[in-house]
Amino acid sequence: MFKNYIKVAWRNLLKNKVFTAANIVGLTLAFAIALLLTMTALFELSYDQFHENKGSIFQVYYSNQTPKGSDISTTNPVPFAPALKEEVPGVKNIARALSENALVSYGDNDFNLDAEFVDADYFSIFSFPTAMGDSNKPMQDQNSVAITEEAAKKLFGTTDGIGKIVRVLIGKEEKPFTVSGILKSIPDNSSVSFDIAIPFDSHSEYKESIDVWDARNHPVYLQLEDGVTKSQFEKSTVEFTLLHNEGQMQNMKRDGAQPDINGNYAQLGLLPYTDKRFANFNSGVLNVKRTFPFMILGIAFLVIFIACANFVNMNIALGEKRLKEIGMRKTLGAVKGQLFGQFWLESLMVFLIAIALALVLANLLIDPYKTLFNTDATFANLLTPIILGSFIIGILLVTLITGGYPALLLSKLNTLNALKGKWELGKNGVRNALIVVQFVIAIVLITSTLVFQGQIQFMRNKNLGFNKEQVVSIPLNGKKDSYRVIELLRNELQGNGNILAVSGSDNNLGRGKDGSLSNSILGFEYKGRIVHSNVLTVDYDYAKTLDLQLLEGRMFSKEYSADSLSMVINEAMVRELNEENNPLSTRVYFDEDSVAYNVIGVLKDYNHQDISKSIEPLTFFLDRDYELYYAYVKVAPIDMAKSFDAIKSAWQKVEPNAEFLGSFLDENIDRTFRREKTMATIITSGSILGIVLSCIGLFAMSLLVVAQRTKEIGVRKVIGASTSSITILLTKDFLKLVGIAFIIGTPIAWYALDKWLEEYAFRVPLSIWFFIGAGLLATLIALVTVGSRTMKAAAANPVKSLRTD
Amino acid sequence: MLLQLKNIFKWVQQGGQRVFLLKDINLEVEEGEFISIMGPSGSGKSTLLNVIGMLDTFDEGEYDFLSESVHTLKEKYRSNLYKEYIGFVFQSYHLLDDLTVEENLEMPLLYKKIKSSERKALVADMLDRFNIVGKKDLFPTQLSGGQQQLVGVARALIGKPKLILADEPTGNLNSQQSEEIMALFKKLNEEDGVTIIQVTHSEKNAEYGSRIINLLDGRKI
């Protein structure tokens, strides 16, 4: 019996080649893409789940009440962590962790490594797998470091480096450390990644900050003792916070901040470590949203839904051709259950073929996929029993529903009517509903695609207020003094007519090839209230190099010897200081007993941070006591590639041991919206796939409808209907469905996209044309898909169609 | 007695009125009979045949088949009953186009859950008996109408039914093919004792039978 089913199923699939191919292609594409998307989503969700203590690890953050509302900070002062452990019960382990680049030398070679300055407890809290050394204590003492296998390979040429001594540049001098632990490569799904772990108290600024409570520069992680809950602990820190932040709180109170509901001006909070990747503090409150992975899962689900809807529709449509078979089988004694089994088995076969092909396809696509979507996800993430189990159950459910529904309809048919070829379904409710839902999905996806691409274009083309096309930024990752490096670069490039200016600062614009992003904020009292500003230490010619527009006053200049006590501010800072009338007369005392700094110039606002943020106050200093970390070189707009090479060779002369990581600023800016680009790519591909699949389905439906109405068409033509009127008659029904889908889909898309765009300070307006465009596109696609078929049917000779009866 | 119909009525509602398809049909069929049902188009011949074959229901009356009351049976038991005892032959053969001759013959046996080896034997037997061994791997569309109907009859017979119901079995055939099929029916009836009820338009075909039932507007005359 089973063999017979398979045989019949196989022959049936071969007989309806077009439909079988459409189904298999559709399902294969859908499953393959869904598989890849699910993989990405699960990978995202698996972030930081590998830590054995994940349930009790938290990152400390502070909710501060400021005059401008609530504000979250995740950085802490150096004495904070030891004090917290000492004074508040419930902390099992606590560790400070400061991420920085460190210049590590072994023999004659220097390497710029990602360093994590951490307390010893760090490795008791987190479970980074070790390859060699004590797994609980890979960093044995104050004079030892732990490095990853990759770093060991870089440094020593082998993964075994235990006991070897490396030199790390701390501040301006090198300090020797013994390698006491080798870590396996940091898992891809870890939010923290580093090459070398260095004892926290070796950091160059440690000693001077050991009792300083008002400079914050590192996150703190802690593990609670068993039985202590997050909210209990948060409550028990109120006293502690009051004690150590008294001054700050009084200032806040004085400046008009409102306390939170518990009457506090600052409250310590614990962010579960597994939420870290999904946490967002932009709005001043902690917001943990797993939007991205769930959006991807959603798209995967939608794609599968579209393909399955096609499958259901086509199978019902094809059922019509098999009425005779159904009737005959019933006459020969088949009962409902047997027929259901048979048809379901056929569906299952198609699904199994599609799944097998999808697995192959997904494997073939995985590398381009990973590059395109910029993910480290692998199938290995999927190979847990729970995921595999739910995957299999999911597939079974999907086949049961999609294969089962048409099977149920067909097996329920009355024997005689089936034999006579009478189709009793009559109403096309389910079919129409499925088509509408498909097009709702397609329209939402198309709209999202248009808006996402619009936003990316907007961000890319936005005038950021500085010259991003002609400026190269170079991370200063060598051993030499940064001012000297810039001076040397200037000298090297002097003769080159295409090099227009060279300068430097302690922060990058956008995200460079070194991958680091940072910002420093300074708070000080001005005219009886606390003001905050981002700070930037720059070299001479900074404004000239970046084409920043000076509104008033002047930039730093070698002609004025007192410029180290001068500051240049942007318009936002002018507003922050409330000195709109005469900013150039502003004098600032950072400490009560310090000297005064004078504002000497005002720069027009430019986007010195991520474009998603609004422009914050910014103050420039020229202070040789602070290192510079980036050099900027402006080149002429001609022969830019040549100029870039010239910069590179100059760099290699100046810093022969350090890698050249220079890049144009527009590349850096592009890198800052990698996330948006990835999302846009995923949504674009999702919508293209959705459209293709919907079209396959619509095309199949038009075949069916035309077949069902062949006789009607013939009669109408004999009576005198024109080809065009029949085409309209046939196409109208489908367009109606697209219209309904548009009406349903537009509000959904509008709501979701409006929410999404809210995250951006600078955003493309949500114009009605995005929606109209998507609607028109969907209509056009539907028209083309259906039209070809209906026109052919309408043009056919009526005698032929009438003869079939 | 093989089957008995008592006061069978069947109607459809049309515009608030009952239109009778079958009206007060009483019929007794003994084993070994060869009955022809005749009548003009729309007189209810096929409906009657379908009611006897349990493919169609009726609204009033009683139907006993081998002393089982069909009208009280559930679909599943009805299906078991007809798959056991009744074979159908159709005007348009209704062979499954996707199956070969051999597979078409095998199909009723599959639904009767007969073992593979036994199925093979029965099919081979039937192919032999109808002289179509050479055509066993062909698909129905590769056969002439007469040959297709031959397969149709063979398929109806393979389950060793007590009753064969034939709805205009020669309607699509030319006269020579018709004669062959009718001769085959006669032979089956006489030699194997299979009861046959056929619907036919043709007086000539009707004469092969032992009894003729005439219908007009759903009524026996």
Side-chain angles (χ1 to χ4, degrees):
Chain A
M1 180 63 85
F2 192 69
K3 221 173 94 194
N4 183 273
Y5 285 171
I6 302 253
K7 197 155 57 188
V8 175
W10 183 246
R11 288 188 191 149
N12 237 307
L13 295 181
L14 287 185
K15 195 167 79 178
N16 301 307
K17 279 193 195 77
V18 179
F19 289 93
T20 309
N23 263 328
I24 290 184
V25 168
L27 287 171
T28 303
L29 281 177
F31 277 128
I33 299 303
L35 207 62
L36 290 171
L37 291 176
T38 311
M39 178 186 81
T40 315
L42 291 176
F43 175 74
E44 286 289 320
L45 292 173
S46 78
Y47 255 77
D48 300 322
Q49 297 285 347
F50 63 90
H51 295 295
E52 279 157 30
N53 305 324
K54 62 182 179 189
S56 56
I57 308 178
F58 300 90
Q59 176 175 4
V60 174
Y61 67 89
Y62 260 101
S63 304
N64 302 306
Q65 305 302 317
T66 72
K68 288 177 198 154
S70 121
D71 175 47
I72 299 247
S73 71
T74 52
T75 51
N76 300 284
V78 171
F80 169 82
L84 186 68
K85 184 164 187 190
E86 185 95 337
E87 295 166 29
V88 183
V91 180
K92 189 170 178 190
N93 289 305
I94 190 161
R96 298 164 287 193
L98 180 56
S99 309
E100 260 187 20
N101 284 346
L103 199 67
V104 181
S105 314
Y106 181 73
D108 291 336
N109 296 319
D110 301 340
F111 299 92
N112 199 17
L113 299 182
D114 288 337
E116 198 77 4
F117 288 86
V118 295
D119 286 318
D121 268 1
Y122 190 78
F123 291 100
S124 314
I125 300 174
F126 297 111
S127 337
F128 291 108
T130 39
M132 262 176 261
D134 184 348
S135 64
N136 283 324
K137 234 179 155 207
M139 228 169 49
Q140 282 290 341
D141 53 39
Q142 310 301 48
N143 297 315
S144 32
V145 291
I147 60 174
T148 61
E149 284 181 327
E150 285 100 339
K153 247 196 185 133
K154 249 196 224 170
L155 286 165
F156 315 125
T158 126
T159 54
D160 181 10
I162 297 271
K164 292 201 167 125
I165 292 175
V166 295
R167 300 182 314 274
V168 182
L169 189 68
I170 304 279
K172 295 198 169 164
E173 53 190 300
E174 286 192 328
K175 210 186 150 197
F177 286 93
T178 315
V179 175
S180 63
I182 306 280
L183 301 171
K184 286 195 181 135
S185 7
I186 307 291
D188 288 331
N189 52 357
S190 165
S191 2
V192 173
S193 174
F194 53 89
D195 301 318
I196 181 167
I198 305 171
F200 187 79
D201 44 20
S202 305
H203 191 264
S204 59
E205 287 162 22
Y206 176 73
K207 288 218 168 68
E208 61 194 68
S209 322
I210 199 156
D211 283 319
V212 179
W213 279 87
D214 59 3
R216 307 151 174 262
N217 66 346
H218 60 271
V220 166
Y221 304 101
L222 60 81
Q223 183 188 1
L224 290 180
E225 271 171 8
D226 296 340
V228 180
T229 67
K230 170 176 168 299
S231 55
Q232 267 171 6
F233 185 80
E234 284 170 352
K235 247 179 230 152
S236 64
T237 59
V238 172
E239 290 281 307
F240 173 87
T241 306
L242 273 175
L243 184 69
H244 293 286
N245 296 286
E246 224 187 329
Q248 183 207 340
M249 287 194 204
Q250 269 167 5
N251 286 339
M252 286 302 144
K253 226 184 267 179
R254 179 197 64 200
D255 294 348
Q258 296 298 315
D260 66 11
I261 43 169
N262 296 321
N264 298 323
Y265 285 91
Q267 169 69 53
L268 181 147
L270 294 181
L271 169 67
Y273 191 66
T274 45
D275 287 348
K276 181 174 162 69
R277 185 170 171 82
F278 310 101
N280 179 330
F281 308 102
N282 282 352
S283 54
V285 285
L286 172 63
N287 223 333
V288 176
K289 269 195 272 178
R290 290 176 160 79
T291 318
F292 184 58
F294 284 116
M295 188 192 77
I296 302 178
L297 274 185
I299 291 180
F301 174 79
L302 292 181
V303 163
I304 288 194
F305 178 88
I306 294 182
C308 287
N310 281 348
F311 185 84
V312 169
N313 277 343
M314 273 193 246
N315 256 25
I316 295 177
L318 285 179
E320 196 178 33
K321 287 192 179 173
R322 301 181 65 179
L323 292 178
K324 198 177 94 175
E325 179 192 338
I326 296 162
M328 200 54 229
R329 282 182 185 273
K330 283 202 153 187
T331 322
L332 294 175
V335 288
K336 243 189 254 170
Q338 284 169 319
L339 281 173
F340 178 83
Q342 184 193 342
F343 289 118
W344 186 54
L345 192 78
E346 286 184 21
S347 303
L348 201 63
M349 270 175 70
V350 174
F351 270 89
L352 287 179
I353 294 171
I355 288 166
L357 288 176
L359 284 172
V360 174
L361 187 66
N363 258 314
L364 289 177
L365 286 179
I366 191 154
D367 284 328
Y369 174 86
K370 277 162 84 169
T371 336
L372 187 62
F373 296 110
N374 182 21
T375 166
D376 293 321
T378 56
F379 282 120
N381 297 116
L382 299 177
L383 295 177
T384 69
I386 298 175
I387 291 170
L388 276 183
S390 36
F391 181 73
I392 291 168
I393 291 173
I395 294 277
L396 276 181
L397 265 180
V398 167
T399 51
L400 190 66
I401 295 169
T402 47
Y405 177 70
L408 191 70
L409 284 184
L410 294 175
S411 60
K412 260 173 36 189
L413 284 177
N414 173 291
T415 315
L416 270 183
N417 284 336
L419 268 182
K420 286 180 195 156
K422 268 195 207 158
W423 188 242
E424 293 159 88
L425 286 171
K427 282 168 276 167
N428 291 319
V430 173
R431 189 193 82 189
N432 289 347
L434 286 176
I435 294 180
V436 167
V437 176
Q438 278 184 331
F439 270 84
V440 168
I441 296 169
I443 286 173
V444 170
L445 288 176
I446 297 173
T447 318
S448 313
T449 303
L450 295 179
V451 172
F452 264 71
Q453 301 288 5
Q455 174 70 10
I456 286 176
Q457 284 310 317
F458 178 81
M459 291 197 289
R460 190 174 283 161
N461 297 334
K462 184 179 181 322
N463 182 0
L464 299 175
F466 58 87
N467 188 331
K468 59 178 179 177
E469 287 84 13
Q470 284 166 259
V471 180
V472 177
S473 96
I474 312 155
L476 300 175
N477 50 356
K479 259 185 190 170
K480 287 203 176 95
D481 173 71
S482 52
Y483 289 94
R484 186 152 165 67
V485 172
I486 290 174
E487 208 43 57
L488 287 171
L489 277 177
R490 252 188 215 130
N491 293 340
E492 278 296 327
L493 295 166
Q494 206 162 34
N496 191 329
N498 281 338
I499 304 292
L500 303 179
V502 179
S503 183
S505 83
D506 65 348
N507 205 350
N508 207 350
L509 282 162
R511 189 190 283 267
K513 279 188 185 154
D514 58 340
S516 77
L517 277 180
S518 69
N519 63 323
S520 334
I521 294 179
L522 178 70
F524 56 91
E525 220 176 290
Y526 182 72
K527 292 195 175 166
R529 109 200 124 79
I530 301 287
V531 292
H532 286 101
S533 172
N534 289 272
V535 291
L536 193 68
T537 305
V538 298
D539 196 10
Y540 294 110
D541 290 344
Y542 189 74
K544 180 183 159 200
T545 308
L546 285 160
D547 283 344
L548 301 178
Q549 197 185 332
L550 193 64
L551 293 178
E552 282 182 64
R554 61 176 179 87
M555 281 304 290
F556 304 113
S557 161
K558 283 176 183 162
E559 289 155 29
Y560 298 81
S561 57
D563 266 359
S564 62
L565 288 178
S566 300
M567 46 198 251
V568 174
I569 58 178
N570 70 351
E571 291 172 280
M573 186 60 191
V574 173
R575 285 190 294 274
E576 173 86 6
L577 292 169
N578 215 354
E579 290 288 357
E580 279 95 338
N581 294 330
N582 196 2
L584 292 184
S585 67
T586 308
R587 287 165 73 83
V588 174
Y589 299 88
F590 290 106
D591 280 315
E592 274 166 31
D593 44 359
S594 81
V595 286
Y597 279 71
N598 292 313
V599 172
I600 56 164
V602 176
L603 281 172
K604 192 172 159 53
D605 275 346
Y606 71 98
N607 287 80
H608 56 94
Q609 282 172 311
D610 204 316
I611 314 171
S612 65
K613 288 190 180 167
S614 51
I615 298 175
E616 291 177 2
L618 177 63
T619 307
F620 296 77
F621 292 98
L622 183 81
D623 189 339
R624 295 253 165 176
D625 289 343
Y626 289 94
E627 289 282 315
L628 301 179
Y629 295 102
Y630 295 90
Y632 294 89
V633 181
K634 186 183 177 191
V635 301
I638 44 160
D639 279 342
M640 282 168 48
K642 223 187 233 167
S643 307
F644 188 80
D645 290 340
I647 297 169
K648 190 172 174 181
S649 55
W651 171 264
Q652 276 154 354
K653 248 184 234 169
V654 174
E655 280 281 11
N657 285 333
E659 196 186 349
F660 177 72
L661 293 174
S663 53
F664 278 99
L665 290 183
D666 46 4
E667 292 170 41
N668 290 5
I669 302 298
D670 267 14
R671 249 176 241 135
T672 60
F673 40 85
R674 210 155 52 175
R675 189 177 68 107
E676 284 75 16
K677 276 206 223 144
T678 306
M679 271 169 60
T681 323
I682 287 181
I683 292 187
T684 308
S685 0
S687 63
I688 291 174
L689 188 65
I691 292 163
V692 169
L693 292 178
S694 303
C695 283
I696 291 178
L698 205 58
F699 182 73
M701 276 305 99
S702 64
L703 286 183
L704 164 72
V705 166
V706 166
Q708 272 179 341
R709 298 174 76 170
T710 308
K711 194 175 162 194
E712 181 197 335
I713 296 167
V715 171
R716 279 178 190 272
K717 280 201 89 173
V718 169
I719 291 168
S722 69
T723 306
S724 59
S725 73
I726 288 175
T727 309
I728 292 169
L729 175 87
L730 292 172
T731 315
K732 198 179 64 191
D733 288 350
F734 286 108
L735 289 188
K736 225 189 282 167
L737 299 179
V738 177
I740 295 171
F742 178 73
I743 292 168
I744 299 173
T746 303
I748 299 174
W750 184 83
Y751 176 79
L753 291 167
D754 190 53
K755 269 256 138 65
W756 177 71
L757 281 176
E758 269 176 20
E759 285 179 26
Y760 296 86
F762 299 94
R763 53 183 179 248
V764 65
L766 203 52
S767 126
I768 184 89
W769 291 105
F770 283 123
F771 301 99
I772 293 178
L776 284 179
L777 197 61
T779 313
L780 187 74
I781 290 166
L783 207 60
V784 171
T785 317
V786 177
S788 63
R789 198 61 222 164
T790 48
M791 250 147 77
K792 203 169 146 197
N797 183 349
V799 177
K800 237 184 209 166
S801 52
L802 286 180
R803 203 163 43 198
T804 56
D805 250 29
Chain B
M1 196 184 318
L2 183 67
L3 63 91
Q4 186 175 26
L5 300 179
K6 276 186 251 172
N7 309 102
I8 295 289
F9 286 84
K10 182 175 175 61
W11 63 76
V12 287
Q13 292 287 350
Q14 220 163 54
Q17 276 187 325
R18 276 181 188 176
V19 175
F20 284 91
L21 303 177
L22 294 176
K23 218 171 191 176
D24 197 20
I25 302 283
N26 288 289
L27 178 65
E28 285 176 21
V29 178
E30 298 290 338
E31 279 194 50
E33 279 199 274
F34 188 164
I35 299 173
S36 303
I37 303 175
M38 295 195 71
S41 281
S43 60
K45 305 183 299 287
S46 293
T47 311
L48 178 59
L49 199 75
N50 288 332
V51 164
I52 295 172
M54 302 174 212
L55 297 179
D56 212 347
T57 54
F58 46 91
D59 297 293
E60 219 177 278
E62 287 173 24
Y63 174 18
D64 295 328
F65 187 88
L66 288 169
S67 39
E68 293 253 26
S69 335
V70 175
H71 49 276
T72 60
L73 285 179
K74 278 196 180 152
E75 198 220 307
K76 199 174 168 194
Y77 295 102
R78 257 204 323 257
S79 152
N80 274 334
L81 200 62
Y82 70 71
K83 108 176 136 188
E84 195 61 37
Y85 297 111
I86 303 178
F88 295 89
V89 177
F90 298 92
Q91 177 178 1
S92 46
Y93 334 126
H94 285 337
L95 297 176
L96 298 191
D97 291 339
D98 298 327
L99 300 181
T100 62
V101 166
E102 192 180 16
E103 287 157 356
N104 262 296
L105 290 184
E106 192 186 10
M107 205 169 54
L109 304 177
L110 286 169
Y111 286 118
K112 285 176 131 180
K113 302 213 165 74
I114 290 172
K115 275 200 292 272
S116 167
S117 54
E118 201 179 331
R119 283 204 310 264
K120 290 260 149 55
L122 283 169
V123 170
D125 215 31
M126 200 51 76
L127 288 168
D128 208 28
R129 183 164 156 201
F130 281 72
N131 254 328
I132 45 177
V133 180
K135 306 213 160 45
K136 74 180 169 67
D137 291 325
L138 296 182
F139 287 93
T141 43
Q142 295 166 299
L143 301 176
S144 73
Q147 286 166 336
Q148 287 191 48
Q149 193 57 298
L150 208 58
V151 178
V153 176
R155 182 180 63 182
L157 275 177
I158 198 159
K160 302 210 170 65
K162 283 190 181 300
L163 173 65
I164 282 192
L165 298 174
D167 194 350
E168 301 204 35
T170 61
N172 284 6
L173 303 180
N174 62 32
S175 58
Q176 195 211 329
Q177 289 168 332
S178 291
E179 267 171 43
E180 280 170 22
I181 293 292
M182 289 319 295
L184 177 63
F185 275 152
K186 186 143 185 83
K187 194 172 141 218
L188 288 172
N189 179 247
E190 282 168 3
E191 290 175 13
D192 301 306
V194 182
T195 314
I196 294 172
I197 303 177
Q198 67 160 343
V199 163
T200 181
H201 274 301
S202 135
E203 296 278 348
K204 199 174 147 204
N205 287 353
E207 274 159 22
Y208 282 90
S210 53
R211 177 145 72 112
I212 293 175
I213 295 166
N214 278 300
L215 288 184
L216 184 65
D217 297 335
R219 214 186 266 279
K220 234 170 106 181
I221 49 172

